[in-house]
Amino acid sequence: MYKIDFNNFFSYSFSIDCVIFGFKDGQVNVLMIKRSMEPFLNHWAIPGDLVYPDEDLQVAATRILTELTNLSNLDLHQAQTFGNPSRHPQGRVITTAYFALIRITDFEIEASSFAEEVKWVPIHEVPELAFDHNLILNSTYELLKQKLSYEPICFDLLPEKFTLNQMQQLFEYVNEAEMDKANFRKKIRPIPLIALGEKQKNVKHRPAKLFSFDSEKYSEIAEEDGYRFKI
Amino acid sequence: MYKIDFNNFFSYSFSIDCVIFGFKDGQVNVLMIKRSMEPFLNHWAIPGDLVYPDEDLQVAATRILTELTNLSNLDLHQAQTFGNPSRHPQGRVITTAYFALIRITDFEIEASSFAEEVKWVPIHEVPELAFDHNLILNSTYELLKQKLSYEPICFDLLPEKFTLNQMQQLFEYVNEAEMDKANFRKKIRPIPLIALGEKQKNVKHRPAKLFSFDSEKYSEIAEEDGYRFKI
DNA sequence: TTTAGATATTGTATTTTTGACAATAAATAG
DNA sequence: CTATTTATTGTCAAAAATACAATATCTAAA
């Protein structure tokens, strides 16, 4: 359909960068790859790829994510677009950031065609990255923090079955503020959670009850009562 | 620096669409142009243009805005990026939407190279537009509504000197809900406004006091007290 | 079996914010 | 001077947020 040679491609092209967030050990982590090719060989970076000439952006983002994680049915959120003419040393590459939230325990990452090495890094310990990826990452993390407070996406980061304290810890982490346990529970009372009747195991103290998010009920009350998630 | 011919350009190119919002007669209006060229000749559209191969996105958005309005120093906010492969009939054109807020009374719009005709249209009366511009417009208006509630950008839409009722009407319009005057005033009490000591003129009832936004004080309390605009 | 230690969970009282509505003030038009 | 209109401020009850106390339930060790 389109004739594209290397020169053409690298004089004006378009890419997607996928910021993949997880929540582990009480910290928000981001998936980093070690580049196995030039430019920025051996530098850490956010996984990204060029968009095919007739490929939709959302489709491209999904493809990149699937190639990396083998997970599907994940919510992908578009973030900012970056187009500084000198952001890519080999030509004009405009890139759109997408972010995805995954349950770290749900999958095993492995190095692929993408990269020599893959690892999770706590968001506050990210090293200097290739291209303008630090800029992209910071801007996308800001967006994540915003969306966490008014969309029910925290449940994409938490385990399928989670304790209320785990949920609280996530918000304490991103807001960088401690919260009162009792008051947190009052705040989330309107959010439809399913009490599973199960409990935490292998803890050396009173185990907490496990909950899961009732997304069907959420859609229902969002539509009927105009309820909006808010923390 | 870059060799670009028509075929190349239209096999893979990048554009900016500028959604320009104003507030007039108690309604949010958006600036529309009537296209003077194919495709979509004579259709209404959002003003937009291709980005030059070595031009920054923000710079391109500013250029397009200035060409159209002759205004400068306006805040430009990046919105969503649209990249459906079939959104442009002549080839792959990915576009990023930016929006700007202007005081309608501050400038006189005029048809330019861009368009045959230019006009303000209330956001709820927008006709069918060229390309996917209805989609872009709706998505950008949603973003505007969000940002209005947690960033002090309503003052870019209101006149330099405004009454508290004008401010209230803007929020009533975007939230599609009436508010109590007394309670609205309580809500905005933390926002630093300068009471100008002047009053409305040419009204056939008690004139309201005029205010302006104290952006310096806002920056100050935002930094020192961590205050955040919220309505 | 009992008890200490740790965290989960619930309750209560106070303060702050919100919301509904009443009362007063300041202009114009006749 | 008075009726009319909108601006502005005040009040009170309900609701939400906050601080903090009390109780519950598990593990592990004595």
Side-chain angles (χ1 to χ4, degrees):
Chain A
M1 194 179 205
Y2 295 98
K3 184 167 64 68
I4 302 229
D5 64 15
F6 188 85
N7 284 326
N8 182 353
F9 216 77
F10 272 91
S11 71
Y12 206 27
S13 62
F14 195 84
S15 70
I16 298 282
D17 286 305
C18 276
V19 181
I20 304 173
F21 292 112
F23 186 59
K24 192 171 75 163
D25 309 325
Q27 292 183 304
V28 172
N29 280 244
V30 61
L31 199 64
M32 313 259 45
I33 63 165
K34 195 168 191 174
R35 287 178 60 84
S36 56
M37 59 173 87
E38 293 287 355
F40 291 100
L41 175 66
N42 290 330
H43 282 66
W44 290 97
I46 299 164
D49 203 2
L50 292 173
V51 175
Y52 300 142
D54 56 357
E55 186 181 37
D56 185 70
L57 301 188
Q58 189 88 18
V59 170
T62 306
R63 169 176 60 79
I64 294 167
L65 190 60
T66 302
E67 284 174 8
L68 186 69
T69 66
N70 283 316
L71 291 177
S72 47
N73 291 325
L74 291 178
D75 262 348
L76 274 157
H77 306 257
Q78 192 186 101
Q80 292 292 103
T81 295
F82 298 82
N84 187 302
S86 56
R87 62 173 295 281
H88 195 297
Q90 290 177 314
R92 183 72 194 274
V93 182
I94 291 166
T95 196
T96 294
Y98 276 78
F99 72 86
L101 305 179
I102 74 179
R103 294 178 179 133
I104 287 189
T105 47
D106 277 13
F107 84 111
E108 194 64 38
I109 56 173
E110 49 188 54
S112 69
S113 63
F114 260 104
E116 195 176 289
E117 231 182 291
V118 182
K119 68 172 177 184
W120 287 104
V121 181
I123 188 76
H124 291 128
E125 297 170 19
V126 171
E128 201 171 316
L129 303 177
F131 306 104
D132 53 357
H133 283 191
N134 289 98
L135 180 64
I136 295 177
L137 184 53
N138 292 337
S139 135
T140 305
Y141 182 54
E142 289 303 315
L143 187 62
L144 168 66
K145 288 196 286 186
Q146 271 187 26
K147 286 205 176 182
L148 276 172
S149 72
Y150 60 85
E151 286 180 33
I153 58 175
C154 56
F155 307 110
D156 295 334
L157 282 173
L158 294 168
E160 174 77 33
K161 302 173 178 182
F162 56 88
T163 70
L164 299 185
N165 274 341
Q166 286 177 311
M167 182 173 169
Q168 182 177 341
Q169 278 159 24
L170 173 53
F171 284 97
E172 288 184 332
Y173 182 83
V174 297
N175 297 328
E176 297 178 38
E178 293 199 351
M179 307 168 92
D180 181 278
K181 283 186 179 185
N183 297 338
F184 181 79
R185 280 149 201 260
K186 276 183 221 162
K187 206 171 207 169
I188 66 173
R189 205 133 54 189
I191 302 170
L193 300 180
I194 300 169
L196 296 168
E198 299 174 51
K199 291 178 180 174
Q200 242 179 346
K201 280 177 180 163
N202 302 319
V203 288
K204 58 175 190 289
H205 52 73
R206 174 176 175 180
K209 293 178 190 160
L210 291 171
F211 294 83
S212 68
F213 176 56
D214 192 340
S215 61
E216 289 182 20
K217 186 151 193 178
Y218 178 80
S219 309
E220 195 183 306
I221 61 179
E223 192 167 342
E224 291 180 13
D225 312 336
Y227 170 69
R228 309 253 64 205
F229 181 94
K230 182 76 190 61
I231 283 194
Chain B
M1 192 181 205
Y2 294 99
K3 184 168 63 70
I4 301 229
D5 66 14
F6 188 86
N7 285 324
N8 182 352
F9 216 78
F10 271 92
S11 71
Y12 207 2
S13 61
F14 197 83
S15 70
I16 298 283
D17 286 304
C18 275
V19 181
I20 303 172
F21 291 111
F23 187 59
K24 190 171 78 164
D25 310 326
Q27 292 184 306
V28 172
N29 280 243
V30 60
L31 198 65
M32 313 259 45
I33 62 165
K34 195 168 191 176
R35 287 178 60 84
S36 57
M37 58 172 88
E38 292 287 358
F40 292 101
L41 175 66
N42 290 331
H43 282 65
W44 290 97
I46 299 164
D49 203 1
L50 292 173
V51 175
Y52 300 143
D54 57 357
E55 186 181 36
D56 184 69
L57 301 188
Q58 190 88 20
V59 170
T62 306
R63 168 176 60 80
I64 294 167
L65 189 60
T66 302
E67 284 174 9
L68 187 70
T69 66
N70 284 316
L71 291 178
S72 47
N73 292 325
L74 292 177
D75 261 348
L76 274 158
H77 306 258
Q78 191 186 101
Q80 293 292 104
T81 294
F82 298 83
N84 188 303
S86 56
R87 61 173 296 281
H88 195 297
Q90 290 177 315
R92 183 72 193 275
V93 183
I94 291 167
T95 197
T96 293
Y98 277 77
F99 73 85
L101 305 178
I102 74 181
R103 294 178 178 135
I104 287 191
T105 47
D106 277 13
F107 84 112
E108 194 65 40
I109 57 174
E110 49 187 53
S112 69
S113 64
F114 259 105
E116 195 175 291
E117 232 181 288
V118 183
K119 68 172 176 184
W120 288 104
V121 181
I123 188 77
H124 290 129
E125 297 171 19
V126 170
E128 201 171 315
L129 303 178
F131 306 103
D132 53 358
H133 283 190
N134 289 98
L135 179 65
I136 295 177
L137 184 53
N138 291 337
S139 134
T140 305
Y141 182 54
E142 288 303 315
L143 187 62
L144 169 66
K145 288 196 286 187
Q146 272 188 26
K147 287 206 176 181
L148 275 172
S149 72
Y150 61 85
E151 287 180 34
I153 59 175
C154 57
F155 308 110
D156 295 334
L157 282 172
L158 294 167
E160 175 76 34
K161 301 173 179 185
F162 56 87
T163 70
L164 299 185
N165 274 341
Q166 285 177 310
M167 182 172 169
Q168 181 176 341
Q169 278 159 23
L170 173 54
F171 285 96
E172 288 185 332
Y173 182 83
V174 298
N175 297 328
E176 298 179 40
E178 293 197 352
M179 307 168 94
D180 180 278
K181 283 187 182 185
N183 296 338
F184 181 78
R185 280 151 200 259
K186 273 184 227 165
K187 207 171 207 168
I188 66 172
R189 205 136 50 191
I191 303 170
L193 300 180
I194 300 169
L196 296 168
E198 300 174 50
K199 291 179 180 176
Q200 244 180 343
K201 281 179 179 161
N202 302 321
V203 288
K204 56 174 189 292
H205 53 74
R206 174 177 175 179
K209 293 177 191 161
L210 291 172
F211 294 84
S212 68
F213 177 55
D214 192 340
S215 60
E216 288 183 21
K217 187 150 194 179
Y218 178 79
S219 308
E220 195 182 306
I221 61 179
E223 193 167 341
E224 291 181 14
D225 312 336
Y227 170 69
R228 308 253 65 205
F229 181 94
K230 180 75 188 63
I231 283 194

